[in-house]
mmCIF file of all heavy atoms in Angstrom:
data_model
loop_
_atom_site.group_PDB
_atom_site.id
_atom_site.type_symbol
_atom_site.label_atom_id
_atom_site.label_comp_id
_atom_site.label_asym_id
_atom_site.label_seq_id
_atom_site.Cartn_x
_atom_site.Cartn_y
_atom_site.Cartn_z
ATOM 1 N N ASN B 926 -24.623 64.798 193.101
ATOM 2 C CA ASN B 926 -23.216 64.936 192.715
ATOM 3 C C ASN B 926 -22.892 66.332 192.208
ATOM 4 O O ASN B 926 -21.842 66.894 192.536
ATOM 5 C CB ASN B 926 -22.860 63.912 191.629
ATOM 6 C CG ASN B 926 -22.286 62.656 192.258
ATOM 7 O OD1 ASN B 926 -21.671 62.727 193.319
ATOM 8 N ND2 ASN B 926 -22.504 61.533 191.599
ATOM 9 N N TRP B 928 -24.324 69.042 193.047
ATOM 10 C CA TRP B 928 -24.314 69.944 194.206
ATOM 11 C C TRP B 928 -23.068 69.703 195.057
ATOM 12 O O TRP B 928 -22.399 70.641 195.485
ATOM 13 C CB TRP B 928 -25.582 69.745 195.030
ATOM 14 C CG TRP B 928 -25.631 70.664 196.231
ATOM 15 C CD1 TRP B 928 -25.589 70.293 197.540
ATOM 16 C CD2 TRP B 928 -25.730 72.083 196.221
ATOM 17 N NE1 TRP B 928 -25.635 71.395 198.344
ATOM 18 C CE2 TRP B 928 -25.721 72.513 197.560
ATOM 19 C CE3 TRP B 928 -25.819 73.041 195.196
ATOM 20 C CZ2 TRP B 928 -25.796 73.856 197.916
ATOM 21 C CZ3 TRP B 928 -25.889 74.385 195.557
ATOM 22 C CH2 TRP B 928 -25.876 74.774 196.899
ATOM 23 N N GLY B 968 -28.461 89.051 164.468
ATOM 24 C CA GLY B 968 -28.178 87.855 165.269
ATOM 25 C C GLY B 968 -27.596 86.740 164.430
ATOM 26 O O GLY B 968 -28.155 86.338 163.417
ATOM 27 N N ARG B 971 -29.640 83.305 164.271
ATOM 28 C CA ARG B 971 -30.834 83.379 163.449
ATOM 29 C C ARG B 971 -30.468 83.316 161.959
ATOM 30 O O ARG B 971 -31.096 82.609 161.170
ATOM 31 C CB ARG B 971 -31.569 84.684 163.793
ATOM 32 C CG ARG B 971 -32.853 84.838 163.072
ATOM 33 C CD ARG B 971 -33.959 85.432 163.912
ATOM 34 N NE ARG B 971 -35.120 85.543 163.051
ATOM 35 C CZ ARG B 971 -35.687 86.712 162.726
ATOM 36 N NH1 ARG B 971 -35.254 87.828 163.251
ATOM 37 N NH2 ARG B 971 -36.715 86.728 161.907
ATOM 38 N N PRO B 977 -30.808 79.932 153.422
ATOM 39 C CA PRO B 977 -31.264 78.757 152.675
ATOM 40 C C PRO B 977 -30.191 77.679 152.546
ATOM 41 O O PRO B 977 -29.010 77.985 152.409
ATOM 42 C CB PRO B 977 -31.601 79.341 151.294
ATOM 43 C CG PRO B 977 -30.829 80.602 151.204
ATOM 44 C CD PRO B 977 -30.713 81.135 152.596
ATOM 45 N N PHE B 981 -24.746 70.388 148.737
ATOM 46 C CA PHE B 981 -23.301 70.268 148.567
ATOM 47 C C PHE B 981 -22.745 71.230 147.518
ATOM 48 O O PHE B 981 -21.659 71.030 147.012
ATOM 49 C CB PHE B 981 -22.939 68.827 148.212
ATOM 50 C CG PHE B 981 -22.996 67.911 149.407
ATOM 51 C CD1 PHE B 981 -24.170 67.240 149.740
ATOM 52 C CD2 PHE B 981 -21.883 67.748 150.221
ATOM 53 C CE1 PHE B 981 -24.216 66.421 150.855
ATOM 54 C CE2 PHE B 981 -21.927 66.924 151.332
ATOM 55 C CZ PHE B 981 -23.104 66.262 151.647
ATOM 56 N N GLU B 985 -19.165 71.415 145.660
ATOM 57 C CA GLU B 985 -19.032 71.251 144.220
ATOM 58 C C GLU B 985 -18.130 72.333 143.631
ATOM 59 O O GLU B 985 -17.208 72.055 142.878
ATOM 60 C CB GLU B 985 -20.410 71.335 143.565
ATOM 61 C CG GLU B 985 -20.961 70.015 143.082
ATOM 62 C CD GLU B 985 -22.408 70.177 142.690
ATOM 63 O OE1 GLU B 985 -22.678 70.916 141.722
ATOM 64 O OE2 GLU B 985 -23.277 69.593 143.383
ATOM 65 N N ILE B 996 -4.426 72.649 146.571
ATOM 66 C CA ILE B 996 -4.206 72.949 148.000
ATOM 67 C C ILE B 996 -3.985 71.674 148.792
ATOM 68 O O ILE B 996 -3.194 71.645 149.725
ATOM 69 C CB ILE B 996 -5.357 73.793 148.612
ATOM 70 C CG1 ILE B 996 -6.707 73.114 148.467
ATOM 71 C CG2 ILE B 996 -5.383 75.174 148.003
ATOM 72 C CD1 ILE B 996 -7.857 73.906 149.061
ATOM 73 N N THR B 1000 -0.461 71.035 150.718
ATOM 74 C CA THR B 1000 -0.502 70.834 152.159
ATOM 75 C C THR B 1000 0.173 69.519 152.542
ATOM 76 O O THR B 1000 1.019 69.478 153.434
ATOM 77 C CB THR B 1000 -1.960 70.825 152.656
ATOM 78 O OG1 THR B 1000 -2.622 71.970 152.148
ATOM 79 C CG2 THR B 1000 -2.029 70.842 154.162
ATOM 80 N N LEU B 1002 2.278 67.552 150.753
ATOM 81 C CA LEU B 1002 3.705 67.447 150.423
ATOM 82 C C LEU B 1002 4.564 68.265 151.390
ATOM 83 O O LEU B 1002 5.591 67.793 151.868
ATOM 84 C CB LEU B 1002 3.957 67.903 148.985
ATOM 85 C CG LEU B 1002 3.589 66.896 147.899
ATOM 86 C CD1 LEU B 1002 3.921 67.435 146.519
ATOM 87 C CD2 LEU B 1002 4.310 65.571 148.127
ATOM 88 N N MET B 1008 8.038 67.055 158.104
ATOM 89 C CA MET B 1008 8.065 66.007 159.123
ATOM 90 C C MET B 1008 9.330 65.172 158.996
ATOM 91 O O MET B 1008 10.051 64.967 159.969
ATOM 92 C CB MET B 1008 6.848 65.112 158.906
ATOM 93 C CG MET B 1008 6.193 64.625 160.132
ATOM 94 S SD MET B 1008 4.563 64.009 159.659
ATOM 95 C CE MET B 1008 4.966 62.361 159.178
ATOM 96 N N TYR B 1059 14.576 91.551 145.477
ATOM 97 C CA TYR B 1059 15.110 91.534 144.112
ATOM 98 C C TYR B 1059 16.241 92.540 143.944
ATOM 99 O O TYR B 1059 17.297 92.236 143.392
ATOM 100 C CB TYR B 1059 13.989 91.819 143.105
ATOM 101 C CG TYR B 1059 14.476 91.768 141.684
ATOM 102 C CD1 TYR B 1059 14.747 90.546 141.081
ATOM 103 C CD2 TYR B 1059 14.686 92.937 140.958
ATOM 104 C CE1 TYR B 1059 15.226 90.481 139.779
ATOM 105 C CE2 TYR B 1059 15.168 92.879 139.651
ATOM 106 C CZ TYR B 1059 15.430 91.653 139.065
ATOM 107 O OH TYR B 1059 15.901 91.593 137.791
ATOM 108 N N SER B 1061 17.992 94.480 146.398
ATOM 109 C CA SER B 1061 19.145 94.590 147.289
ATOM 110 C C SER B 1061 19.407 93.339 148.116
ATOM 111 O O SER B 1061 20.329 93.334 148.914
ATOM 112 C CB SER B 1061 18.982 95.807 148.205
ATOM 113 O OG SER B 1061 17.660 96.275 148.215
ATOM 114 N N ILE B 1068 25.535 86.680 146.611
ATOM 115 C CA ILE B 1068 25.795 85.255 146.407
ATOM 116 C C ILE B 1068 25.746 84.863 144.932
ATOM 117 O O ILE B 1068 26.684 84.260 144.411
ATOM 118 C CB ILE B 1068 24.798 84.414 147.239
ATOM 119 C CG1 ILE B 1068 25.018 84.720 148.728
ATOM 120 C CG2 ILE B 1068 24.989 82.928 146.973
ATOM 121 C CD1 ILE B 1068 24.010 84.102 149.646
ATOM 122 N N PRO B 1076 20.493 87.536 138.602
ATOM 123 C CA PRO B 1076 19.544 87.697 139.708
ATOM 124 C C PRO B 1076 18.187 87.062 139.384
ATOM 125 O O PRO B 1076 17.802 86.971 138.226
ATOM 126 C CB PRO B 1076 19.416 89.209 139.863
ATOM 127 C CG PRO B 1076 19.994 89.791 138.638
ATOM 128 C CD PRO B 1076 20.964 88.816 138.083
ATOM 129 N N ILE B 1089 12.757 76.985 149.628
ATOM 130 C CA ILE B 1089 12.855 78.108 150.565
ATOM 131 C C ILE B 1089 12.025 77.837 151.823
ATOM 132 O O ILE B 1089 12.497 77.993 152.947
ATOM 133 C CB ILE B 1089 12.382 79.427 149.899
ATOM 134 C CG1 ILE B 1089 13.302 79.771 148.717
ATOM 135 C CG2 ILE B 1089 12.354 80.568 150.901
ATOM 136 C CD1 ILE B 1089 12.774 80.877 147.829
ATOM 137 N N LEU B 1137 19.509 55.311 169.292
ATOM 138 C CA LEU B 1137 18.449 55.313 168.277
ATOM 139 C C LEU B 1137 17.329 54.320 168.581
ATOM 140 O O LEU B 1137 16.147 54.704 168.540
ATOM 141 C CB LEU B 1137 19.041 55.072 166.882
ATOM 142 C CG LEU B 1137 19.787 56.286 166.294
ATOM 143 C CD1 LEU B 1137 20.362 55.946 164.923
ATOM 144 C CD2 LEU B 1137 18.858 57.494 166.190
ATOM 145 N N MET B 1172 1.512 85.324 142.871
ATOM 146 C CA MET B 1172 2.252 84.648 141.811
ATOM 147 C C MET B 1172 2.881 83.348 142.304
ATOM 148 O O MET B 1172 3.211 82.470 141.512
ATOM 149 C CB MET B 1172 3.342 85.568 141.276
ATOM 150 C CG MET B 1172 2.825 86.482 140.180
ATOM 151 S SD MET B 1172 4.138 87.479 139.490
ATOM 152 C CE MET B 1172 4.360 88.711 140.747
ATOM 153 N N THR B 1190 -10.405 87.999 150.865
ATOM 154 C CA THR B 1190 -10.327 88.791 149.645
ATOM 155 C C THR B 1190 -11.541 88.629 148.734
ATOM 156 O O THR B 1190 -12.046 89.603 148.206
ATOM 157 C CB THR B 1190 -9.025 88.496 148.855
ATOM 158 O OG1 THR B 1190 -8.972 87.099 148.580
ATOM 159 C CG2 THR B 1190 -7.800 88.888 149.640
ATOM 160 N N THR B 1191 -12.054 87.395 148.579
ATOM 161 C CA THR B 1191 -13.217 87.264 147.707
ATOM 162 C C THR B 1191 -14.526 87.321 148.487
ATOM 163 O O THR B 1191 -15.575 87.491 147.893
ATOM 164 C CB THR B 1191 -13.176 85.940 146.906
ATOM 165 O OG1 THR B 1191 -13.219 84.862 147.842
ATOM 166 C CG2 THR B 1191 -11.926 85.836 146.078
ATOM 167 N N VAL B 1210 -10.528 62.577 161.186
ATOM 168 C CA VAL B 1210 -10.304 61.152 160.938
ATOM 169 C C VAL B 1210 -8.828 60.805 161.139
ATOM 170 O O VAL B 1210 -8.490 59.796 161.780
ATOM 171 C CB VAL B 1210 -10.750 60.779 159.503
ATOM 172 C CG1 VAL B 1210 -10.385 59.339 159.174
ATOM 173 C CG2 VAL B 1210 -12.239 61.000 159.349
#
Side-chain angles (χ1 to χ4, degrees):
Chain B
N926 266 330
W928 181 246
R971 183 141 179 243
F981 284 90
E985 254 170 65
I996 57 180
T1000 310
L1002 282 182
M1008 218 164 85
Y1059 182 75
S1061 16
I1068 298 173
I1089 297 168
L1137 285 179
M1172 273 184 283
T1190 57
T1191 62
V1210 174

